[in-house]
Structures are given as C-alpha cells and as structure tokens.
C-alpha cells in the first residue's frame, strides 16, 4: 500500500497538484494541515484516492486536530504537530501515538523533514513542498506498507 504524505502547502495548489499527479498510484493521501483549501480541491479532482486531512495551526475549517487511520493493518496517528509541541521534541507526539496503539506517527508544522524510529514508533514529518526551512529542499513523504510487516518511509524532494 502506498501512502502519500504532505503538509504545510499553505494555499499553494499548484505544488500539491504536481505532487499528487506524480503519485496517482497512491492508495491514500494524508495531508497534515495548513493546506485545507488545496486539499479539498485535490479531493474533488481525485475522488478515487481517499484523502485524510487534519487541522493545522493556520487552518480555520472544521477539521479534527488529529486522526487515527488504519491502513494495511497498521494504525497511523496523524496530526499537524503544534498541539504536541513538536518544536521542543517528539516525546508528546510519540506518547500519544502509543496511547492510541499506533505504530506510525505523522506530523507537520515545523517545515523540516525527518524520519526516525522512536520508542517502537515510526515517525515522519514530510517537510513542506511550499516553504521548507533551514535551507532544505521542498519535500513530501511516501510510505509503503506491506501485509508482511514492512514499513518503508521515504522523503522525496520536489523536482521542478
């Protein structure tokens, strides 16, 4: 199962559209906040791909602050990250993911991509394809899950 993970698109529909069109083989799209308008438009344009959206600190719609999604037998904790103080560390995020019995935790907010394994939880921030920080390239994430227990998390640089 292929999961496309994006965050912090900040009203840049063109970049999100480009990413989705390069990943039309995705089984699920997860947007981790600060991009509600363009995520809604993508969902309308590609109704065949389920889309999960969580509220970011710059969003004003009626979205959940976090969601737990099950994909290929894995529970995935999805949040923007600001409510879990991810700028100061990931322990709150990982603790909440574990409390929800999730093997994977996804977050945005920092605009800094990273993947790591913390306290038995696979953690990913896909970065931002619109406004990356610390001189990083614009990025998004792809997760591949298999029913035989393989979890592969990749950060992908947005190509022109």
């Amino acid at each position: 199962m292929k999961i496309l993970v994006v965050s912090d698109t900040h009203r840049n529909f063109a970049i999100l559209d480009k990413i989705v069109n390069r990943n039309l083989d995705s089984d699920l799209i997860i947007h981790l906040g600060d991009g509600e308008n363009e995520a809604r438009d993508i969902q309308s344009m590609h109704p065949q791909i389920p889309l999960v959206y969580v509220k970011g600190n710059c969003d004003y719609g009626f979205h959940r602050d976090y969601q737990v999604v099950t994909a290929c037998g894995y529970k995935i904790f999805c949040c923007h990250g600001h409510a879990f103080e991810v700028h100061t560390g990931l322990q709150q995020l990982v603790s909440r993911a574990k409390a929800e019995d999730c093997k994977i935790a996804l977050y945005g907010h920092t605009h800094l991509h990273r993947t790591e394994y913390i306290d038995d939880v696979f953690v990913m921030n896909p970065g931002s394809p619109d406004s990356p920080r610390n001189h990083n390239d614009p990025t998004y994430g792809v997760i591949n899950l298999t029913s035989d227990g393989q979890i592969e998390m990749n950060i992908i640089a947005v190509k022109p």
Side-chain angles (χ1 to χ4, degrees), residues 74-101:
Y74 297 95
K75 289 178 78 175
I76 304 169
F77 185 81
C78 307
C79 71
H80 186 61
H82 63 293
F84 297 93
E85 300 179 20
V86 295
H87 277 299
T88 60
L90 300 178
Q91 198 51 48
Q92 281 188 46
L93 171 74
V94 171
S95 293
R96 185 58 182 263
K98 288 181 78 164
E100 298 281 348
D101 196 32

Side-chain angles (χ1 to χ4, degrees), residues 86-140:
V86 295
H87 277 299
T88 60
L90 300 178
Q91 198 51 48
Q92 281 188 46
L93 171 74
V94 171
S95 293
R96 185 58 182 263
K98 288 181 78 164
E100 298 281 348
D101 196 32
C102 294
K103 186 72 175 164
I104 300 169
L106 306 176
Y107 72 102
H109 186 57
T110 65
H111 297 221
L112 299 170
H113 64 80
R114 70 193 291 178
T115 61
E116 54 194 303
Y117 189 67
I118 303 172
D119 200 15
D120 296 324
V121 177
F122 289 88
V123 179
M124 173 191 269
N125 182 328
S128 172
D130 173 66
S131 48
R133 294 188 178 141
N134 290 0
H135 307 288
N136 285 309
D137 289 331
T139 57
Y140 63 94

